[in-house]
């Protein structure tokens, strides 16, 4: 197989660090494959894939080796429960949190002694759909940029509310529009500079109400009036919060029917 | 890796994609285009299940970034029942366009066509495999038939049976995403189409393939059909419970 290649790296273009948490399940390889097919178009993209697993798996390692992209492969397992004193408490850490935080940690670690490149950090879940235009919109973020996201909050899309002066003044959502940042994970990007300036800023692990995960990070980075609206003042949808159906594997039976050595 | 042939000598891959309007349509076409744009000499034949070309797909095609033919044909209402095969008219429209286009061109026009549903997932390696199809080639499909994968069984480079979760007794027990046909075979079998009449549910692929080939003739790809290079993914239906009936947004935004 002749591997595909992304556009050549440019020393003058800001870098886009894409942090993708991922976990093992039947559709994982398919999701990462079509994501890679998208990212291969984007110049100066560095993919940070963080597995929710005790060890980096062969499936993800091999996929990343063959994809042709610039990548970093990390892993951290989300504990099923947290041990507090002598008792086990079920963990309410939202999915992907530990993995995203590890991605941020890696970034801060990587540039602790070297000058960081110009660029942004974007959290890209492995089942969403991204247009190529989105990456060019986010590339020149100064602090935190925002845009609409399709298929979240029970709507065709949620969007920041932008004033005629081009400032974010609220949130067009039905679900809890009064959240400090009523925005989906896929709806913002943060400049590397800001991530490094505020080393304490990360996603909160526990006690986060539904829909407040994004706020738990952004509140330590920016205020609403400091946000930069993209996608034509937030009037275009460039990212869709798609979800993939769980495949029915009824015919595998209890002990599995197909050959487990054939990777899917 | 084998030396690359100059692009002009590469057979064209025709992807026939039936598509229909629903909230995730633009997202599906977008990520499909992102894959197809990585493939050299791929010609996309997009066929809407519609009485007229929609604005959304027309706009999409205009900016798609790869050669694209935009067709449309509506499914007759009597065929829109659960359990009946879908996209029959649309795939046939794609075949008809190809046949029409090539009837005045001198042979050989090397090409390969396959049926690419808009919600499946395709690896780039799959296209390399199918491009060398001489007549009809086959390969495994992931996440279909209630299994992790289905695949043709291969012995000594020949297909000898089917490893499938559903009706392995079909002459060609294979999913739509599991085969490609050379343009030559399509042109030399002008009457081969997907049938409605007399076709049982789940027999679409088999009924089509038996018009153009035999099991003996099939070319196994993907390392003698042991690698999964395409997945029959399906996208969840979107939750639009919070869409207002009144007091709509002040702007009209395409999703």
């Amino acid at each position: 197989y002749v591997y595909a290649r992304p556009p050549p790296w440019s020393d003058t273009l800001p870098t886009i660090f894409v942090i993708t948490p991922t976990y093992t399940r039947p559709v994982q390889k398919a999701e990462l494959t079509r994501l890679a097919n998208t990212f291969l178009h984007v110049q100066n993209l560095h993919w940070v894939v963080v597995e929710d697993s005790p060890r980096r798996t062969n499936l993800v390692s091999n996929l990343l080796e063959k994809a042709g992209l610039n990548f970093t492969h990390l892993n951290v397992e989300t504990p099923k429960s947290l041990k507090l004193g002598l008792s086990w408490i079920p963990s309410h850490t939202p999915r992907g949190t530990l993995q995203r935080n590890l991605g941020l940690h890696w970034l801060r670690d990587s540039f602790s002694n070297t000058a960081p490149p110009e660029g942004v950090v974007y959290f890209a879940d492995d089942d969403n759909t991204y247009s190529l235009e989105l990456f060019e919109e986010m590339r020149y973020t100064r602090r935190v940029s925002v845009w609409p996201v399709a298929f979240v909050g029970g709507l065709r899309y949620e969007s920041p509310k932008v004033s005629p002066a081009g400032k974010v003044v609220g949130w067009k959502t039905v679900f809890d529009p009064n959240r400090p940042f009523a925005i989906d994970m896929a709806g913002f990007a943060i400049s590397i500079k800001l991530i490094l300036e505020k080393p304490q800023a990360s996603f909160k692990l526990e006690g986060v109400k539904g829909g407040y995960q994004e706020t738990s990070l952004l509140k330590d980075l920016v205020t609403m009036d400091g946000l930069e609206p993209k996608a034509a003042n937030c009037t275009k949808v460039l990212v869709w919060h798609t979800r993939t159906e769980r495949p029915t594997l009824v015919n595998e039976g209890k002990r599995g029917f197909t050959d487990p050595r054939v990777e899917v | 890796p084998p030396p690359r042939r100059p692009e002009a000598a590469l057979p064209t891959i025709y992807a026939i994609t039936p598509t229909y309007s629903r909230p995730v349509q633009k997202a599906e076409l977008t990520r499909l285009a992102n894959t197809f744009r990585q493939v050299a000499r791929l010609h996309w034949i997009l066929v809407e299940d519609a009485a007229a070309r929609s604005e959304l797909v027309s706009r999409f095609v205009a900016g798609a970034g790869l050669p694209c033919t935009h067709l449309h044909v509506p499914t007759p209402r009597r065929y829109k029942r659960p359990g009946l095969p879908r996209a029959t008219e649309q795939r046939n429209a794609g075949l008809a366009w190809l046949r029409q286009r090539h009837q005045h061109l001198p042979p050989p026009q090397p090409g390969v066509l396959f049926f690419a549903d808009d919600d499946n997932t395709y690896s780039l390696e799959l296209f390399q495999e199918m491009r060398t199809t001489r007549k009809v080639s086959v390969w495994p499909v992931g996440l279909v038939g209630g299994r992790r994968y289905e695949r043709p069984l291969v012995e000594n480079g020949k297909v000898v049976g089917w490893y499938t979760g559903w009706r392995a007794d079909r002459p060609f027990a294979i999913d739509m995403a599991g085969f490609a046909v050379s343009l030559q075979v399509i042109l030399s079998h002008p009457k081969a189409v997907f049938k409605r009449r007399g076709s049982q549910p789940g027999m679409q692929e088999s009924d089509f393939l038996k018009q153009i080939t035999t099991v003996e003739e099939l070319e196994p790809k993907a390392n003698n059909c042991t690698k999964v290079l395409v997945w029959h993914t399906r996208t969840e239906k979107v939750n639009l419970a919070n869409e207002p009936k009144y007091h709509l947004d002040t702007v009209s935004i395409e999703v």
Side-chain angles (χ1 to χ4, degrees), chain A residues 1-2 34 37-38 40-41 130 151 153-157 172 243 245 248-249 251-252 257-259 262, chain B residues 23 27 31 34-35 38 121-122 124 128 145-149 163 165 234 236 239-243 249 253:
Chain A
Y1 169 60
V2 181
R34 54 187 171 183
N37 292 347
T38 290
L40 275 168
H41 290 280
Y130 308 92
F151 310 146
L155 295 171
R156 288 170 70 246
Y157 63 88
K172 289 190 194 182
R243 291 167 55 94
E245 274 185 18
T248 52
L249 299 179
N251 284 330
E252 287 288 347
F257 193 92
T258 53
D259 186 340
V262 175
Chain B
R31 55 184 172 184
N34 290 346
T35 289
Q38 292 291 348
T121 302
Y122 307 89
L124 300 183
Q128 201 172 316
R147 296 189 167 185
R148 291 169 67 245
Y149 62 85
Y163 189 77
R234 291 166 56 93
E236 275 186 18
N239 170 12
L240 299 179
N242 283 333
E243 277 294 327
D249 200 349
I253 297 188

Side-chain angles (χ1 to χ4, degrees), chain A residues 134-166:
Chain A
L134 176 72
F135 298 102
E136 300 319 313
E137 286 291 303
M138 72 174 71
R139 200 185 286 279
Y140 293 93
T141 301
R142 289 192 312 276
R143 310 284 283 170
V144 178
S145 56
V146 293
W147 51 79
V149 178
F151 310 146
V152 286
L155 295 171
R156 288 170 70 246
Y157 63 88
E158 284 183 342
S159 167
K161 204 180 285 182
V162 181
S163 71

Side-chain angles (χ1 to χ4, degrees), chain A residues 131-199:
Chain A
S131 69
L132 301 184
E133 205 179 330
L134 176 72
F135 298 102
E136 300 319 313
E137 286 291 303
M138 72 174 71
R139 200 185 286 279
Y140 293 93
T141 301
R142 289 192 312 276
R143 310 284 283 170
V144 178
S145 56
V146 293
W147 51 79
V149 178
F151 310 146
V152 286
L155 295 171
R156 288 170 70 246
Y157 63 88
E158 284 183 342
S159 167
K161 204 180 285 182
V162 181
S163 71
K167 287 218 162 291
V168 175
V169 294
W171 310 100
K172 289 190 194 182
T173 77
V174 168
F175 170 64
D176 209 344
N178 299 314
R179 286 171 280 165
F181 296 90
I183 193 166
D184 182 79
M185 196 66 70
F188 64 92
I190 308 163
S191 74
I192 300 178
K193 187 154 174 282
L194 185 57
I195 290 290
L196 299 176
E197 246 173 54
K198 305 267 170 89

Side-chain angles (χ1 to χ4, degrees), chain A residues 52 72 77-78 107 141 162 177 182 186 189 212 240:
Chain A
D52 185 344
T72 293
E77 189 173 30
T78 305
L107 253 177
T141 301
V162 181
Y212 282 77
W240 300 261

